Amino acid sequence: MNDLNTPTRIYTLELGPMENFVYIIEDTQSKRAAVVDPAWEPTAILDLAKQQGLAITDILLTHSHHDHINAVDNILFEFDAEMHLTHAEAEFWGHAGSHPSLHHGGDRLSLGDTEIEILHTPGHTPGSACYKVHDQLITGDTMFVFGCGRCDMAGGDPNQMFDTLNKIKNELPATTEILPGHNYAVKETVTMREQIEGNPFMHFDEQRDFVNFRMKRHGQVRQSPYDAVTKTCAHEWLHG
Ligand SMILES: [Fe+2]
């Protein structure tokens, strides 16, 4: 999925009992690396960095749930890395480590020659973030392949999630590759075009329908692994 001639390479690790995806973004020229949501198996993350000769200079958090952050301290023990998250998530979490770098949506980070854009994408948590690297979008629990994150836990808001998913759909190219926070679907990645065609959470034009589907019907009608769903099927599920 990554051309070796491009300035950036992204490694995917599937770790832990909840099928979390941990991504390591490598700036190929400088050998700097950013780890997104370090969790579960710090040895696997650190071994990969060591094998590839990478210096982990940055940690990017999509959000503060335990299953996305439980190896942060292990990484910081080995590398003097800067940790990035949104202002809103730090406020929600009530904690942000010792030297955090807090961001607003639209901020950009430089990892050597690699530019990373931060999108503030509330809905799963108030300060959830997605990270855009070239034509790839690391989405955490905001968007899964043919799914989206729960909105019924503390800080979750299905109305915000509706706005967030519409914004992502309208503002990013259809060729954008989605790299989700969990392996909950029949395949690991998907393009935005495939999401628009097959993600049931993108099939509701009315906010109240989306909210009803997210908060009630989805849990009753659907099981993982998630596969593509037509608009007709999503509406039958909603009203069934
Ligand atoms: Fe989460």
Side-chain angles (χ1 to χ4, degrees):
M1 106 179 136
N2 295 284
D3 183 339
L4 287 176
N5 294 318
T6 61
T8 312
R9 199 171 164 192
I10 299 181
Y11 303 87
T12 304
L13 292 168
E14 185 185 333
L15 302 176
M18 297 167 72
E19 301 164 280
N20 282 76
F21 281 133
V22 174
Y23 298 100
I24 300 181
I25 305 169
E26 173 191 348
D27 179 66
T28 53
Q29 190 69 34
S30 66
K31 289 288 185 183
R32 281 180 59 177
V35 183
V36 184
D37 291 354
W40 299 112
E41 295 178 49
T43 311
I45 300 165
L46 293 166
D47 282 355
L48 195 149
K50 193 174 173 189
Q51 283 159 14
Q52 301 297 329
L54 307 178
I56 298 173
T57 58
D58 299 84
I59 293 170
L60 312 181
L61 299 186
T62 64
H63 66 298
S64 58
H65 283 162
H66 180 256
D67 60 310
H68 292 255
I69 60 160
N70 62 37
V72 165
D73 287 346
N74 305 74
I75 305 298
L76 291 176
F77 189 76
E78 297 290 331
F79 289 98
D80 187 19
E82 192 173 354
M83 190 167 80
H84 304 270
L85 66 160
T86 65
H87 284 276
E89 193 67 5
E91 194 176 314
F92 166 64
W93 191 9
H95 168 83
S98 50
H99 296 293
S101 184
L102 302 181
H103 297 280
H104 296 288
D107 285 2
R108 289 166 196 268
L109 303 172
S110 290
L111 183 73
D113 292 336
T114 299
E115 188 173 89
I116 301 169
E117 184 181 346
I118 301 163
L119 282 67
H120 179 206
T121 54
H124 180 62
T125 63
S128 281
C130 296
Y131 295 95
K132 185 172 181 295
V133 189
H134 305 300
D135 59 352
Q136 294 176 297
L137 187 71
I138 298 172
T139 56
D141 289 0
T142 294
M143 184 188 270
F144 302 132
V145 172
F146 305 130
C148 80
R150 290 169 56 177
C151 300
D152 59 341
M153 294 182 285
D157 184 335
N159 291 291
Q160 285 188 325
M161 184 65 97
F162 177 77
D163 292 340
T164 283
L165 295 183
N166 272 320
K167 199 161 180 244
I168 290 175
K169 178 171 80 175
N170 293 331
E171 292 182 4
L172 295 180
T175 51
T176 305
E177 184 182 15
I178 305 301
L179 305 181
H182 291 268
N183 187 12
Y184 287 161
V186 293
K187 53 184 177 176
E188 295 188 1
T189 69
V190 74
T191 63
M192 186 68 76
R193 179 176 292 112
E194 291 171 279
Q195 292 281 53
I196 292 168
E197 288 167 1
N199 189 326
F201 292 101
M202 298 191 128
H203 289 332
F204 298 106
D205 299 328
E206 297 292 332
Q207 185 151 350
R208 66 172 185 276
D209 288 345
F210 175 92
V211 170
N212 188 13
F213 185 69
R214 174 64 277 179
M215 301 301 275
K216 293 199 186 101
R217 293 295 292 151
H218 184 267
Q220 298 166 351
V221 298
R222 205 159 181 235
Q223 289 177 331
S224 61
Y226 301 146
D227 206 342
V229 173
T230 63
K231 191 166 187 171
T232 307
C233 178
H235 282 263
E236 281 172 6
W237 278 346
L238 178 70
H239 299 294

